[in-house]
């Protein structure tokens, strides 16, 4: 018998081997929830069906696939799972339980797999409060060795907030700012509102929520918001094969937002985000040169001749600096012309 301390209370922990089919996957574990919240009508399924769906989903997860050969090689677990006896839920070790069930199933089908995978080594607590359970998961997966991804952290915050926890309470648990927690909750809510359960899209929604120029632009233009959300929803799982990555969107979309004519073409689907960015960027550079030219129109000979000695010397220095800048821009133009002629 050993003890653990959670939120100031000493929790008695015992060790035993339990039947893998007597145990339940923890439905609101962020790693499990990330797999199941996309299943239509999941919350309305009978518990046995929910558990089967969870197993089916976990069996396809990279974390489970990576664990499988290690557990098979060792013919069991090096580290026991943690179980709540009052609910028979696996608080920590859902992926390990999934691997045990996979190995047991394959053994029963006659595959040559050594080891006993009917019973799984467990550390067992009699019961935990919801706060204690959340605090334990936070310690293991946020501050401990098996880190949750940003998507899983966001799901943890969303599930707890949806269950009535305040943002401040969640922030205190994570040891992070309320603003960070609020943003995570909003990102998951945005995904759910857009009926998008693809975890690889999380980074895109995170950009929409965190990049203020983009967030403000979407808030002001419902058509643009609808267009961008649909674009993201249609993206594939491999970010590098998509029309744009989340980081490219963060960089390019604010530039396009500043050019209404180009933005209109993009929203109509006439040009890609990259094309829109290049057009908007060229337009910006053009405006910079035009504005500089207009300012120089006001420089007159009488005003220069009336400058005092010190002011005149400073003026000459500024003109030299300006000439260097114009020469640099001229070289850029010449290089662009050569590139264009080479492409003809």
């Amino acid at each position: 018998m050993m003890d653990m301390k959670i939120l100031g209370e000493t929790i008695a922990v015992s060790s035993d081997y339990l039947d893998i089919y007597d145990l339940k996957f923890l439905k609101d574990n962020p790693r499990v929830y990330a797999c199941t919240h996309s299943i239509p009508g999941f919350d309305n399924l009978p518990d046995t069906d929910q558990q089967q769906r969870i197993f089916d989903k976990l069996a396809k997860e990279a974390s489970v696939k990576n664990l499988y050969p290690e557990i098979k090689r060792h013919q069991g677990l090096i580290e026991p799972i943690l179980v709540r006896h009052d609910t028979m839920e696996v608080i920590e070790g859902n992926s390990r339980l999934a691997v045990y069930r996979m190995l047991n199933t394959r053994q029963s089908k006659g595959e040559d797999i050594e080891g006993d995978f009917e019973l799984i080594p467990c550390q067992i607590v009699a019961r935990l409060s919801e706060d204690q359970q959340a605090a334990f998961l936070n310690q293991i997966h946020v501050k401990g060795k098996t880190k949750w991804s940003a998507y899983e952290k966001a799901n943890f915050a969303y599930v707890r907030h949806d269950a009535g926890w305040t943002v401040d309470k969640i922030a205190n648990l994570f040891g992070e700012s309320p603003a960070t927690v609020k943003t995570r909750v909003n990102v998951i809510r945005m995904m759910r509102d857009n009926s998008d359960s693809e975890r690889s899209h999380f980074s895109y929604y995170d950009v929409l929520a965190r990049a203020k120029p983009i967030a403000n632009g979407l808030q002001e233009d419902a058509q643009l918001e609808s267009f961008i959300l649909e674009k993201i929803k249609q993206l594939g799982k491999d970010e590098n094969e998509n029309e744009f990555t989340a980081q490219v969107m963060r960089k390019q979309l604010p530039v396009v937002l500043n050019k209404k004519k180009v933005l209109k073409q993009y929203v109509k689907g006439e040009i890609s985000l990259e094309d829109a960015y290049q057009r908007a960027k060229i337009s910006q550079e053009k405006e910079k040169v035009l504005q500089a030219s207009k300012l120089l129109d006001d420089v007159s000979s009488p005003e220069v001749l009336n400058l005092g000695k010190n002011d005149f010397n400073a003026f000459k220095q500024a003109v030299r600096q300006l000439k260097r800048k114009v020469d640099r821009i001229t070289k850029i133009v010449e290089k662009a012309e050569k590139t264009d002629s080479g492409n003809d």
Side-chain angles (χ1 to χ4, degrees):
M1 176 93 54
M2 60 172 288
D3 296 334
M4 65 170 65
K5 200 128 185 173
I6 306 178
L7 297 179
E9 182 180 347
T10 299
I11 309 293
V13 182
S14 61
S15 298
D16 202 352
Y17 285 80
L18 298 178
D19 190 305
I20 60 173
Y21 293 105
D22 287 341
L23 301 176
K24 295 182 178 181
F25 297 105
L26 182 63
K27 288 185 286 189
D28 65 354
N29 179 293
R31 191 156 289 164
V32 173
Y33 178 79
C35 295
T36 62
H37 76 276
S38 61
I39 300 174
F42 178 81
D43 292 337
N44 299 322
L45 294 173
D47 185 63
T48 53
D49 289 348
Q50 288 183 341
Q51 289 294 313
Q52 183 61 46
R53 295 293 185 90
I54 291 172
F55 171 70
D56 292 341
K57 286 284 189 177
L58 283 177
K60 299 176 183 177
E61 286 293 299
S63 60
V64 172
K65 290 180 178 178
N66 291 335
L67 271 175
Y68 183 92
E70 288 299 305
I71 293 176
K72 180 181 178 183
R73 181 166 64 89
H74 290 291
Q75 300 178 28
L77 293 183
I78 294 176
E79 184 176 356
I81 65 175
L82 180 68
V83 175
R84 270 181 64 168
H85 192 268
D86 56 338
T87 63
M88 295 304 284
E89 291 174 309
V90 176
I91 306 305
E92 165 60 16
N94 287 272
S95 295
R96 280 168 275 167
L97 174 60
V99 172
Y100 256 64
R101 288 191 180 180
M102 292 166 68
L103 287 165
N104 178 258
T105 298
R106 291 176 182 178
Q107 276 184 330
S108 66
K109 292 181 178 179
E111 289 191 31
D112 185 17
I113 296 175
E114 295 184 12
D116 179 6
F117 295 105
E118 293 182 5
L119 301 175
I120 188 168
C122 303
Q123 292 181 331
I124 307 167
V125 296
R127 64 183 58 84
L128 291 174
S129 70
E130 291 304 306
D131 284 9
Q132 288 172 332
Q133 182 171 300
F136 176 82
L137 288 171
N138 171 72
Q139 183 64 35
I140 295 295
H141 294 294
V142 175
K143 300 175 181 177
K145 59 185 179 181
T146 53
K147 303 287 187 181
W148 280 332
S149 66
Y151 178 63
E152 289 165 341
K153 285 182 182 179
N155 272 304
F156 182 91
Y158 177 84
V159 170
R160 296 299 170 188
H161 188 263
D162 196 47
W165 285 34
T166 65
V167 167
D168 287 341
K169 182 176 180 179
I170 300 169
N172 184 58
L173 182 69
F174 275 121
E176 295 175 335
S177 71
T180 296
V181 171
K182 187 176 181 180
T183 298
R184 285 178 178 159
V185 171
N186 288 337
V187 170
I188 298 300
R189 182 176 292 115
M190 194 187 307
M191 293 185 70
R192 291 176 68 89
D193 289 346
N194 198 36
S195 300
D196 191 347
S197 58
E198 177 51 56
R199 72 174 64 194
S200 65
H201 294 171
F202 173 79
S203 58
Y204 292 92
Y205 291 94
D206 193 55
V207 168
L208 297 186
R210 293 180 187 275
K212 288 186 178 180
I214 297 177
N216 293 338
L218 299 187
Q219 188 174 7
E220 295 170 1
D221 190 335
Q223 184 180 4
L224 172 64
E225 180 183 35
S226 177
F227 175 79
I228 293 297
L229 289 175
E230 187 60 29
K231 271 277 186 184
I232 293 173
K233 189 176 178 180
Q234 292 176 356
L235 294 174
K237 292 184 178 182
D238 188 344
E239 192 176 35
N240 294 322
E241 293 183 0
N242 290 329
E243 177 187 334
F244 52 85
T245 65
Q247 291 307 311
V248 166
M249 184 177 73
R250 180 193 293 274
K251 173 186 175 182
Q252 295 185 348
L253 191 53
V255 176
V256 176
L257 289 173
N258 288 327
K259 296 300 170 184
K260 299 303 179 185
K261 184 176 179 180
V262 177
L263 178 62
K264 189 174 181 180
Q265 291 176 311
Y266 175 55
V267 173
K268 283 185 175 181
E270 296 174 358
I271 54 177
S272 67
L273 179 59
E274 176 64 28
D275 290 336
Y277 171 69
Q278 293 301 333
R279 293 186 188 188
K281 188 177 177 183
I282 291 171
S283 180
Q284 283 186 334
E285 299 304 309
K286 175 184 173 183
E287 286 188 8
K288 290 176 185 177
V289 173
L290 290 175
Q291 288 173 5
S293 179
K294 287 179 182 178
L295 289 173
L296 293 175
D297 285 342
D298 294 334
V299 178
S300 65
S301 177
E303 291 176 347
V304 174
L305 293 174
N306 288 329
L307 291 174
K309 183 176 180 181
N310 290 337
D311 287 340
F312 181 72
N313 288 335
F315 177 77
K316 283 197 303 181
Q317 181 62 28
V319 170
R320 292 191 188 99
Q321 292 176 352
L322 178 61
K323 185 178 183 303
R324 286 196 292 269
K325 292 178 180 180
V326 171
D327 289 342
R328 181 180 66 83
I329 295 172
T330 299
K331 290 179 181 178
I332 292 174
V333 173
E334 291 172 349
K335 182 178 179 181
E337 287 177 338
K338 290 179 180 178
T339 301
D340 288 341
S341 63
N343 292 330
D344 290 341

